[in-house]
Short mmCIF file of all heavy atoms in Angstrom, two decimals:
data_model
loop_
_atom_site.label_atom_id
_atom_site.label_comp_id
_atom_site.label_asym_id
_atom_site.label_seq_id
_atom_site.Cartn_x
_atom_site.Cartn_y
_atom_site.Cartn_z
N ARG K 1057 48.14 -5.01 1.14
CA ARG K 1057 47.07 -5.60 0.48
C ARG K 1057 46.21 -6.31 1.57
O ARG K 1057 46.68 -7.10 2.31
CB ARG K 1057 47.52 -6.67 -0.53
CG ARG K 1057 48.23 -6.08 -1.72
CD ARG K 1057 48.34 -7.12 -2.85
NE ARG K 1057 49.22 -8.26 -2.41
CZ ARG K 1057 49.31 -9.37 -3.05
NH1 ARG K 1057 48.65 -9.57 -4.14
NH2 ARG K 1057 50.09 -10.39 -2.60
N GLY K 1058 44.96 -5.93 1.66
CA GLY K 1058 44.08 -6.40 2.71
C GLY K 1058 43.69 -7.86 2.39
O GLY K 1058 43.85 -8.42 1.32
N ALA K 1059 43.03 -8.47 3.45
CA ALA K 1059 42.58 -9.84 3.32
C ALA K 1059 41.59 -10.02 2.17
O ALA K 1059 41.55 -11.00 1.50
CB ALA K 1059 41.99 -10.30 4.65
N ARG K 1060 40.72 -8.92 1.99
CA ARG K 1060 39.76 -8.98 0.93
C ARG K 1060 40.39 -9.18 -0.44
O ARG K 1060 39.93 -9.90 -1.29
CB ARG K 1060 38.85 -7.79 0.93
CG ARG K 1060 37.75 -7.75 -0.04
CD ARG K 1060 36.91 -6.54 0.05
NE ARG K 1060 36.25 -6.44 1.33
CZ ARG K 1060 35.37 -5.49 1.75
NH1 ARG K 1060 35.22 -4.46 0.85
NH2 ARG K 1060 34.86 -5.53 2.91
N ALA K 1061 41.52 -8.38 -0.71
CA ALA K 1061 42.16 -8.47 -1.95
C ALA K 1061 42.82 -9.88 -2.23
O ALA K 1061 42.75 -10.41 -3.29
CB ALA K 1061 43.24 -7.42 -2.05
N LEU K 1062 43.34 -10.43 -1.11
CA LEU K 1062 43.93 -11.79 -1.25
C LEU K 1062 42.87 -12.81 -1.52
O LEU K 1062 43.07 -13.72 -2.37
CB LEU K 1062 44.70 -12.07 0.03
CG LEU K 1062 45.90 -11.18 0.35
CD1 LEU K 1062 46.55 -11.58 1.66
CD2 LEU K 1062 46.93 -11.19 -0.78
N LEU K 1063 41.74 -12.66 -0.78
CA LEU K 1063 40.66 -13.63 -1.02
C LEU K 1063 40.06 -13.54 -2.43
O LEU K 1063 39.75 -14.48 -3.10
CB LEU K 1063 39.56 -13.48 0.00
CG LEU K 1063 39.94 -13.86 1.46
CD1 LEU K 1063 38.85 -13.49 2.40
CD2 LEU K 1063 40.25 -15.34 1.54
N ARG K 1064 39.98 -12.23 -2.90
CA ARG K 1064 39.48 -11.97 -4.27
C ARG K 1064 40.40 -12.61 -5.30
O ARG K 1064 39.97 -13.22 -6.29
CB ARG K 1064 39.34 -10.52 -4.53
CG ARG K 1064 38.62 -10.21 -5.86
CD ARG K 1064 38.14 -8.82 -5.90
NE ARG K 1064 39.22 -7.84 -5.69
CZ ARG K 1064 39.32 -7.04 -4.65
NH1 ARG K 1064 38.35 -7.08 -3.72
NH2 ARG K 1064 40.28 -6.17 -4.47
N ALA K 1065 41.74 -12.55 -5.08
CA ALA K 1065 42.71 -13.15 -6.01
C ALA K 1065 42.58 -14.64 -6.02
O ALA K 1065 42.65 -15.28 -7.08
CB ALA K 1065 44.11 -12.71 -5.61
N ALA K 1066 42.38 -15.26 -4.78
CA ALA K 1066 42.32 -16.70 -4.73
C ALA K 1066 40.97 -17.29 -5.22
O ALA K 1066 40.96 -18.32 -5.90
CB ALA K 1066 42.54 -17.16 -3.29
N PHE K 1067 39.91 -16.68 -4.82
CA PHE K 1067 38.59 -17.21 -5.13
C PHE K 1067 37.76 -16.45 -6.21
O PHE K 1067 36.59 -16.77 -6.38
CB PHE K 1067 37.84 -17.31 -3.82
CG PHE K 1067 38.40 -18.18 -2.81
CD1 PHE K 1067 39.03 -17.62 -1.68
CD2 PHE K 1067 38.42 -19.51 -2.91
CE1 PHE K 1067 39.65 -18.40 -0.75
CE2 PHE K 1067 39.01 -20.34 -1.97
CZ PHE K 1067 39.62 -19.78 -0.88
N GLY K 1068 38.43 -15.45 -6.82
CA GLY K 1068 37.79 -14.80 -7.90
C GLY K 1068 37.82 -15.67 -9.16
O GLY K 1068 38.15 -16.84 -9.16
N ALA K 1069 37.40 -15.05 -10.32
CA ALA K 1069 37.34 -15.84 -11.54
C ALA K 1069 38.67 -16.47 -11.93
O ALA K 1069 38.75 -17.59 -12.36
CB ALA K 1069 36.78 -14.90 -12.67
N GLY K 1070 39.77 -15.68 -11.79
CA GLY K 1070 41.08 -16.15 -12.12
C GLY K 1070 41.51 -17.31 -11.21
O GLY K 1070 42.01 -18.37 -11.73
N GLY K 1071 41.33 -17.19 -9.92
CA GLY K 1071 41.66 -18.23 -9.00
C GLY K 1071 40.85 -19.49 -9.16
O GLY K 1071 41.42 -20.60 -9.06
N ARG K 1072 39.58 -19.34 -9.40
CA ARG K 1072 38.71 -20.52 -9.59
C ARG K 1072 39.17 -21.28 -10.86
O ARG K 1072 39.27 -22.54 -10.87
CB ARG K 1072 37.27 -20.10 -9.71
CG ARG K 1072 36.69 -19.54 -8.44
CD ARG K 1072 35.20 -19.54 -8.53
NE ARG K 1072 34.66 -18.79 -9.61
CZ ARG K 1072 34.41 -17.45 -9.60
NH1 ARG K 1072 34.64 -16.80 -8.45
NH2 ARG K 1072 33.91 -16.79 -10.64
N GLU K 1073 39.40 -20.54 -11.97
CA GLU K 1073 39.79 -21.24 -13.22
C GLU K 1073 41.13 -21.94 -13.04
O GLU K 1073 41.29 -23.13 -13.41
CB GLU K 1073 39.90 -20.21 -14.35
CG GLU K 1073 40.38 -20.91 -15.68
CD GLU K 1073 40.63 -19.87 -16.71
OE1 GLU K 1073 40.29 -18.69 -16.56
OE2 GLU K 1073 41.19 -20.23 -17.79
N TYR K 1074 42.06 -21.24 -12.40
CA TYR K 1074 43.38 -21.85 -12.18
C TYR K 1074 43.28 -23.06 -11.24
O TYR K 1074 43.89 -24.13 -11.48
CB TYR K 1074 44.26 -20.78 -11.55
CG TYR K 1074 45.74 -21.09 -11.44
CD1 TYR K 1074 46.30 -22.16 -12.22
CD2 TYR K 1074 46.59 -20.39 -10.55
CE1 TYR K 1074 47.68 -22.41 -12.06
CE2 TYR K 1074 47.92 -20.67 -10.47
CZ TYR K 1074 48.51 -21.69 -11.20
OH TYR K 1074 49.79 -21.98 -11.16
N GLY K 1075 42.52 -22.94 -10.16
CA GLY K 1075 42.32 -24.08 -9.23
C GLY K 1075 41.73 -25.28 -9.90
O GLY K 1075 42.14 -26.40 -9.66
N LEU K 1076 40.74 -25.05 -10.74
CA LEU K 1076 40.11 -26.20 -11.40
C LEU K 1076 41.06 -26.87 -12.37
O LEU K 1076 41.10 -28.13 -12.42
CB LEU K 1076 38.90 -25.70 -12.21
CG LEU K 1076 37.67 -25.44 -11.40
CD1 LEU K 1076 36.56 -24.77 -12.29
CD2 LEU K 1076 37.05 -26.63 -10.71
N ARG K 1077 41.87 -26.15 -13.09
CA ARG K 1077 42.81 -26.77 -13.99
C ARG K 1077 43.89 -27.54 -13.25
O ARG K 1077 44.32 -28.58 -13.68
CB ARG K 1077 43.41 -25.69 -14.90
CG ARG K 1077 42.41 -25.08 -15.90
CD ARG K 1077 43.04 -24.33 -17.00
NE ARG K 1077 41.98 -23.62 -17.73
CZ ARG K 1077 41.16 -24.19 -18.64
NH1 ARG K 1077 41.28 -25.52 -18.86
NH2 ARG K 1077 40.24 -23.47 -19.29
N VAL K 1078 44.41 -26.98 -12.16
CA VAL K 1078 45.39 -27.64 -11.33
C VAL K 1078 44.79 -28.97 -10.72
O VAL K 1078 45.41 -30.03 -10.81
CB VAL K 1078 45.91 -26.72 -10.23
CG1 VAL K 1078 46.81 -27.57 -9.26
CG2 VAL K 1078 46.74 -25.56 -10.84
N ALA K 1079 43.57 -28.87 -10.28
CA ALA K 1079 42.90 -30.04 -9.63
C ALA K 1079 42.72 -31.13 -10.68
O ALA K 1079 42.96 -32.34 -10.43
CB ALA K 1079 41.60 -29.59 -9.04
N LEU K 1080 42.24 -30.76 -11.87
CA LEU K 1080 41.98 -31.77 -12.93
C LEU K 1080 43.27 -32.34 -13.41
O LEU K 1080 43.39 -33.61 -13.59
CB LEU K 1080 41.24 -31.13 -14.07
CG LEU K 1080 39.76 -30.82 -13.86
CD1 LEU K 1080 39.16 -30.11 -15.05
CD2 LEU K 1080 38.97 -32.07 -13.59
N SER K 1081 44.34 -31.57 -13.56
CA SER K 1081 45.60 -32.10 -14.08
C SER K 1081 46.22 -33.04 -13.01
O SER K 1081 46.70 -34.15 -13.38
CB SER K 1081 46.55 -30.96 -14.40
OG SER K 1081 46.01 -30.12 -15.41
N PHE K 1082 46.25 -32.59 -11.78
CA PHE K 1082 46.88 -33.37 -10.69
C PHE K 1082 46.04 -34.59 -10.40
O PHE K 1082 46.63 -35.74 -10.26
CB PHE K 1082 46.96 -32.48 -9.45
CG PHE K 1082 47.74 -33.12 -8.32
CD1 PHE K 1082 49.05 -33.46 -8.52
CD2 PHE K 1082 47.21 -33.25 -7.04
CE1 PHE K 1082 49.84 -33.97 -7.46
CE2 PHE K 1082 47.96 -33.79 -6.03
CZ PHE K 1082 49.27 -34.19 -6.25
N GLY K 1083 44.73 -34.46 -10.30
CA GLY K 1083 43.89 -35.64 -10.12
C GLY K 1083 43.99 -36.63 -11.23
O GLY K 1083 44.03 -37.88 -10.98
N ALA K 1084 43.88 -36.18 -12.43
CA ALA K 1084 43.89 -37.06 -13.59
C ALA K 1084 45.28 -37.77 -13.67
O ALA K 1084 45.38 -38.96 -13.95
CB ALA K 1084 43.70 -36.34 -14.93
#
Side-chain angles (χ1 to χ4, degrees):
R1057 292 193 298 170
R1060 181 179 298 180
L1062 297 177
L1063 291 174
R1064 185 165 57 246
F1067 299 106
R1072 291 196 303 270
E1073 179 187 349
Y1074 191 18
L1076 285 172
R1077 294 195 188 281
V1078 172
L1080 287 176
S1081 299
F1082 190 57

